[in-house]
Amino acid sequence: MERSAKQIDVLHVDDNLEFADLASTFVERYDDRLSVEVETSVQAAVSSLHNVTYDCIVSDYEMPQQNGIEFLEAVRELYPNIPFILFTGKGSEAIASEAISAGVTDYLQKDSGTEQYELLANRISNATEGYLAQKEADWHRKVIESMGEGVYVTDSDHVLRFVNFRVRREALPGEDLIGRPLSFLADAQILTEKEVNEIKEGIDKVLAGETEEVRLEIEPGLPESEQTELRLRRIQPNGEDLVLGTGRDITERKRREEELTRSRELLRHTEEIARTGGWELDVETGEERWTEGAYEIGEVPPDADFEPTLENSLEFYHPDYRDDAKAAIENCIENEEPFDSEFRLVTSKDHLRWAKVAGEPVTENGEVTRVRGAIQDITEQDDIDVVTSGDEMVTDVTDDTTSGD
């Protein structure tokens, strides 16, 4: 059955089909939100309840096989809260008392006039109003609880007005947080006093209109608790100024950030010891990315207003080697050939350096989109090679002189 936003689905059970159809016609006429389905037996009604969701049940009392009270008891086992109106021609205090004990929502005696149908329509409307409101609230609560985030609402006095299941479950056993001030979280050692004060300040800023959102990072003092990012935003249900807070587990994100920081620190130390650096060229834009080691080799201060590109990076090559470096990069892009060569550099401080520069193509869909490489300062190594060559030359001269004697 397809239902509109305001439609109220009613199941009317009465073994007198003619009366039930007449009642349904009048009820729907008095309130166009009501949509009534008729069943003539308790068995058929129970079967229908398994297949269709109803907002209210209207039932006769005296019916074959099972009466209205027995039907009510069966319904309460399936749906403890659904409105159930006993609409019967057999009225007595005994039946009314039994119905109340079984959990009936309302009790109405059949009459001979059509006014009874208008009265029934009103009883259905009144009975379902609170039920549907609670049903919608329960639906929203289930959505919130399935979000994987803690959700809470506080007022301007920093009192918790709503706390979803996830937050309550992680609080102290048996403690209901709703209605408690935020300071209770510090008293219970769930949060530190500093964190609670930061949350209060955030709530005040949001309610004062100083900012749309406040973000805080906290770590609840609970067993197996995680680092949490709190987001505070202003809401106005029914015109009241409140603050909606959502808490997201950021433990994994913080762990990845710490690992990335350690990796970068390790890379920095490695580059510093080995006097190496890394670089990457975006072929399409000509922009480059350098690691800290590359900046150090070029003697470019970290805070310098310098954005590396292919054009300005070639300026670091000595004029005698600049064309060779450019040709190596172009060949890598055009022919996908890696390179590994030694070049003379001129740093930003006009110091001469020898560097070993290597690069390799990175392809996407058969096209070179980036060139990724490394650079190593080999100035000291090159000086050692020169000295070594000189020593060997001296040795050779000495040997020749000795042989001449």
Side-chain angles (χ1 to χ4, degrees), residues 280-281 283 332 360-364 367-372:
E280 185 178 80
L281 165 67
V283 174
C332 182
E360 61 180 19
V362 177
T363 60
E364 294 180 12
E367 182 179 353
V368 177
T369 57
R370 287 171 292 162
V371 177
R372 183 179 297 152

Side-chain angles (χ1 to χ4, degrees), residues 8-12 19-38 56-58 85 87 108 113-126 128:
I8 299 174
D9 294 318
V10 181
L11 175 62
H12 189 175
F19 175 81
D21 283 341
L22 181 63
S24 300
T25 300
F26 274 96
V27 163
E28 291 178 348
R29 184 180 301 171
Y30 283 119
D31 191 334
D32 59 8
R33 297 175 303 160
L34 304 181
S35 175
V36 183
E37 293 288 327
V38 173
C56 184
I57 298 173
V58 176
I85 299 175
F87 186 41
L108 183 64
T114 58
E115 295 83 0
Q116 64 178 325
Y117 305 123
E118 182 178 4
L119 181 59
L120 177 60
N122 289 332
R123 296 286 181 91
I124 293 172
S125 177
N126 293 336
T128 56

Side-chain angles (χ1 to χ4, degrees), residues 52-125:
V52 181
T53 300
Y54 293 101
D55 302 313
C56 184
I57 298 173
V58 176
S59 176
D60 188 17
Y61 172 75
E62 194 167 355
M63 294 181 288
Q65 298 178 333
Q66 286 181 291
N67 62 37
I69 302 296
E70 292 170 332
F71 177 41
L72 170 59
E73 292 171 346
V75 168
R76 284 291 172 253
E77 291 182 6
L78 296 172
Y79 305 101
N81 301 315
I82 189 170
F84 192 107
I85 299 175
L86 196 63
F87 186 41
T88 178
K90 187 177 179 63
S92 71
E93 290 185 8
I95 293 176
S97 176
E98 187 180 1
I100 292 172
S101 299
V104 74
T105 307
D106 206 345
Y107 179 88
L108 183 64
Q109 192 166 345
K110 293 178 181 178
D111 201 352
S112 58
T114 58
E115 295 83 0
Q116 64 178 325
Y117 305 123
E118 182 178 4
L119 181 59
L120 177 60
N122 289 332
R123 296 286 181 91
I124 293 172
S125 177

Side-chain angles (χ1 to χ4, degrees), residues 67 241 279 339 357 393:
N67 62 37
D241 279 337
W279 57 274
F339 63 91
V357 183
M393 183 173 64

Side-chain angles (χ1 to χ4, degrees), residues 80-356:
N81 301 315
I82 189 170
F84 192 107
I85 299 175
L86 196 63
F87 186 41
T88 178
K90 187 177 179 63
S92 71
E93 290 185 8
I95 293 176
S97 176
E98 187 180 1
I100 292 172
S101 299
V104 74
T105 307
D106 206 345
Y107 179 88
L108 183 64
Q109 192 166 345
K110 293 178 181 178
D111 201 352
S112 58
T114 58
E115 295 83 0
Q116 64 178 325
Y117 305 123
E118 182 178 4
L119 181 59
L120 177 60
N122 289 332
R123 296 286 181 91
I124 293 172
S125 177
N126 293 336
T128 56
E129 183 177 353
Y131 172 72
L132 293 177
Q134 185 60 49
K135 192 175 179 181
E136 183 176 1
D138 290 342
W139 181 85
H140 285 292
R141 185 182 297 273
K142 288 179 180 178
V143 170
I144 291 172
E145 290 174 359
S146 66
M147 289 170 57
E149 297 185 354
V151 180
Y152 63 90
V153 175
T154 65
D155 57 25
S156 57
D157 294 324
H158 309 137
V159 173
L160 291 163
R161 300 281 290 275
F162 170 83
V163 182
N164 80 342
F165 174 79
R166 182 171 182 268
V167 174
R168 282 204 305 273
R169 174 172 53 82
E170 293 175 353
L172 297 179
E175 294 287 357
D176 188 357
L177 298 179
I178 296 176
R180 292 185 179 273
L182 281 174
S183 57
F184 170 76
L185 300 179
D187 297 338
Q189 297 183 338
I190 296 173
L191 299 177
T192 66
E193 187 173 346
K194 179 175 179 292
E195 288 170 333
V196 169
N197 288 334
E198 287 177 348
I199 295 173
K200 288 181 178 180
E201 290 174 5
I203 290 172
D204 294 341
K205 286 182 179 179
V206 170
L207 290 178
E210 296 179 21
T211 179
E212 290 187 359
E213 182 180 76
V214 170
R215 295 190 183 190
L216 302 169
E217 290 187 6
I218 63 172
E219 187 168 1
L222 298 168
E224 300 181 3
S225 62
E226 64 274 351
Q227 290 179 285
T228 302
E229 179 186 67
L230 290 183
R231 297 186 181 188
L232 306 175
R233 295 184 66 89
R234 181 184 180 186
I235 58 173
Q236 292 180 299
N238 301 320
E240 184 179 10
D241 279 337
L242 300 173
V243 172
L244 172 68
T246 58
R248 175 175 297 179
D249 181 2
I250 59 171
T251 305
E252 182 61 24
R253 190 189 80 187
K254 299 296 287 186
R255 185 188 65 79
R256 290 196 301 267
E257 289 176 355
E258 290 174 0
E259 287 184 355
L260 181 59
T261 299
R262 285 197 298 268
S263 296
R264 286 175 174 169
E265 192 66 15
L266 178 60
L267 175 62
R268 189 183 67 81
H269 283 296
T270 302
E271 289 184 338
E272 185 177 345
I273 294 172
R275 300 182 64 81
T276 61
W279 57 274
E280 185 178 80
L281 165 67
D282 185 316
V283 174
E284 182 178 359
T285 65
E287 297 174 351
E288 290 190 8
R289 295 177 58 192
W290 290 7
T291 65
E292 288 186 25
Y295 277 93
E296 289 184 8
I297 292 173
E299 293 189 311
V300 179
D303 56 350
D305 185 17
F306 175 76
E307 297 292 336
T309 64
L310 174 59
E311 183 178 356
N312 62 27
S313 67
L314 286 172
E315 296 297 320
F316 285 86
Y317 289 86
H318 189 280
D320 294 343
Y321 293 86
R322 191 170 299 153
D323 291 341
D324 292 341
K326 183 178 180 181
I329 295 173
E330 290 176 347
N331 185 51
C332 182
I333 296 171
E334 296 172 4
N335 300 314
E336 299 184 23
E337 292 187 7
F339 63 91
D340 188 346
S341 304
E342 295 181 5
F343 299 98
R344 195 69 162 165
L345 303 181
V346 182
T347 72
S348 65
K349 296 181 179 180
D350 291 330
H351 294 148
L352 294 177
R353 294 281 189 271
W354 279 103
K356 185 176 183 179

